[in-house]
Amino acid sequence: MIPAETKIPEKLRKAIFNNPEWILHHSELLNHLIITEKKYDSDKVVDIHDVIVQKKNLDLENLSKSQDFSISAAFENFLGVSSLHRWIINILDQKTLLGLLDALGTDIGKILQASEIKFVHI
């Protein structure tokens, strides 16, 4: 282990800063840093694995919330379209004006969840 007063050569320090993937994608080096940190009870080394796991868990939680919202919205849309289709089929099934008026007051009113249906002449 390098003593605290020893400095890393500037060229190496810049190379590491410019290429963090050298450390982040090197599992053997990361494991060694974590073991060293635990062995010497140092607070100078960050357990990058924990940071990455926490970030992934947060990403997963956000994704799960987005997925739940999307599924809920899709189901609401499905129910709306289904009701509309039943309403249209019920209207098309009517053979007479009296049958249409009766259906509007009963079946179609229930499908649309309407308390009242009015005809307006424009």
Side-chain angles (χ1 to χ4, degrees):
M1 185 167 189
I2 299 174
E5 60 275 355
T6 304
K7 291 191 174 187
I8 296 175
E10 186 64 24
K11 189 174 183 179
L12 178 59
R13 189 177 74 77
K14 283 184 180 179
I16 292 172
F17 282 161
N18 291 333
N19 301 288
E21 67 276 1
W22 290 352
I23 296 174
L24 296 175
H25 298 298
H26 196 286
S27 60
E28 185 182 353
L29 181 58
L30 282 175
N31 286 335
H32 182 71
L33 287 172
I34 292 167
I35 290 167
T36 303
E37 184 252 348
K38 289 177 182 173
K39 182 177 178 182
Y40 293 102
D41 198 28
S42 169
D43 59 353
K44 294 183 180 181
V45 177
V46 176
D47 188 345
I48 296 173
H49 179 265
D50 282 348
V51 172
I52 291 171
V53 168
Q54 288 173 1
K55 183 179 181 318
K56 292 299 176 190
N57 285 339
L58 184 61
D59 290 347
L60 181 62
E61 186 178 317
N62 290 338
L63 180 62
S64 180
K65 286 179 184 177
S66 296
Q67 182 181 22
D68 289 347
F69 178 77
S70 297
I71 290 171
S72 176
F75 186 68
E76 290 287 329
N77 286 343
F78 166 76
L79 291 178
V81 169
S82 177
S83 293
L84 180 64
H85 287 168
R86 287 189 335 204
W87 176 73
I88 291 170
I89 290 170
N90 202 314
I91 286 179
L92 292 174
D93 281 345
Q94 304 310 313
K95 306 288 186 219
T96 65
L97 180 58
L98 287 176
L100 175 62
L101 293 174
D102 184 48
L104 285 171
T106 56
D107 298 335
I108 295 175
K110 288 178 188 173
I111 292 170
L112 296 176
Q113 298 177 353
S115 59
E116 185 178 35
I117 295 177
K118 292 183 180 183
F119 281 105
V120 179
H121 178 66
I122 301 178

